[in-house]
Amino acid sequence: MIDIHTHLLPDFDDGPANLDETREMLELAEKDGTRAIVITPHILDYGDYERQDEIFEKFEQVKEVARKDGRKLRLYLGGEIYLLPDIQPVYPFSTLNNNGKTILFEFSMREIPEFAPNKIFDWIMEGYQPILAHPERFLPILKNPRYAFKFAQMGVGLQINAGSVVGVFGEKIRRLAFSLIEHRMAHIVASDGHNTNSRSISLKEARQRVEERFGKKVAWVLFEENPRRAVEGEPLLREDPIPFEDYSQKPSRWDLIKRRLGLGKKEE
Ligand SMILES: [Fe+2]
């Protein structure tokens, strides 16, 4: 598996407190079956853009301990970019693995900024592939999942958190995560791992849950193929998203059984 969203720089953002915790996270990820990781520190404001040297220095430290510990994991650098009106993706950590294509971004959990749709559309027109981090955790999308449909339709990639799939953030978020996959609006699952306890870097359990419900092919796309494409700057595999309205009108399995048995309303 390839994990495109992690916080692994020691004592940089709200990720691991020190290098020892980083090492434990790397060990867990490798045992879990992850073979490549993009480290995506929070880039929240203009001050964080000025910490470029610190980002590179800490990334080198992580690579060095991984090498010393004999890890086979491949490590890349990127950023989780907080959407600001005038920010341009011109920094070496603005795109995953500095591929000049894939931007992992987020905005406020509480509201979608008014400028967001235009800004994201501009990025797409300029040839970038924006990927929205954990849409299932945003309040406006929880209230109205049709926003997720609009983003998916625009060409945005939607990245679901593994923790959301296994229920770490509660039942409502878990259900929305599954619903986004079911409606073909989820393109990638990543850990968004922050530490060794509450915000794990583990992907394995989430993959099992996705496989049980949607089958091996969907799990392969979400955990392997699209993450690989995101790192390498290739277009993501995507299907037309199913609007929530249409989906709600689709007959359930029980409706189909009733129809077959001639029960209930007859169709005109
Ligand atoms: Fe994150």
Side-chain angles (χ1 to χ4, degrees), residues 35-210:
R35 60 189 172 87
I37 288 178
V38 190
I39 303 179
T40 51
H42 284 290
I43 309 293
L44 296 174
D45 52 28
Y46 301 100
D48 283 342
Y49 285 93
E50 284 164 20
R51 297 171 75 187
Q52 184 168 319
D53 291 347
E54 190 186 347
I55 291 173
F56 282 111
E57 201 178 294
K58 294 198 167 185
F59 180 53
E60 288 306 316
Q61 286 175 15
V62 178
K63 282 202 292 190
E64 179 62 16
V65 291
R67 193 189 57 77
K68 274 192 189 154
D69 290 347
R71 303 269 158 252
K72 293 195 179 74
L73 280 165
R74 286 198 309 279
L75 295 171
Y76 305 107
L77 185 63
E80 181 177 11
I81 308 297
Y82 193 87
L83 205 63
L84 297 170
D86 50 356
I87 211 69
Q88 294 302 326
V90 292
Y91 298 84
F93 45 80
S94 297
T95 54
L96 303 186
N97 191 28
N98 198 14
N99 64 23
K101 289 277 177 196
T102 325
I103 308 169
L104 181 70
F105 76 99
E106 63 169 346
F107 39 68
S108 158
M109 291 280 180
R110 302 196 162 275
E111 58 183 358
I112 300 174
E114 242 173 75
F115 67 86
N118 280 341
K119 172 132 196 104
I120 297 163
F121 188 67
D122 285 349
W123 278 350
I124 292 171
M125 294 315 280
E126 288 161 21
Y128 292 104
Q129 168 62 78
I131 296 182
L132 177 60
H134 40 62
E136 77 284 2
R137 298 191 60 213
F138 290 115
L139 216 56
I141 297 180
L142 269 163
K143 282 188 185 156
N144 185 358
R146 285 175 202 167
Y147 285 122
F149 175 77
K150 289 193 172 163
F151 280 123
Q153 220 180 18
M154 260 172 89
V156 174
L158 269 56
Q159 175 259 304
I160 307 285
N161 275 9
S164 302
V165 172
V166 300
V168 170
F169 303 106
E171 184 53 19
K172 221 172 161 188
I173 290 178
R174 193 193 65 80
R175 260 190 279 130
L176 179 57
F178 274 93
S179 183
L180 293 174
I181 300 173
E182 199 161 17
H183 288 75
R184 300 179 188 158
M185 291 176 207
H187 305 98
I188 290 177
V189 178
S191 74
D192 193 11
H194 278 69
N195 51 46
T196 45
N197 42 60
S198 56
R199 301 285 303 276
S200 167
I201 199 161
S202 170
L203 288 173
K204 198 175 183 179
E205 193 185 343
R207 182 172 185 156
Q208 282 165 356
R209 302 269 178 101
V210 169

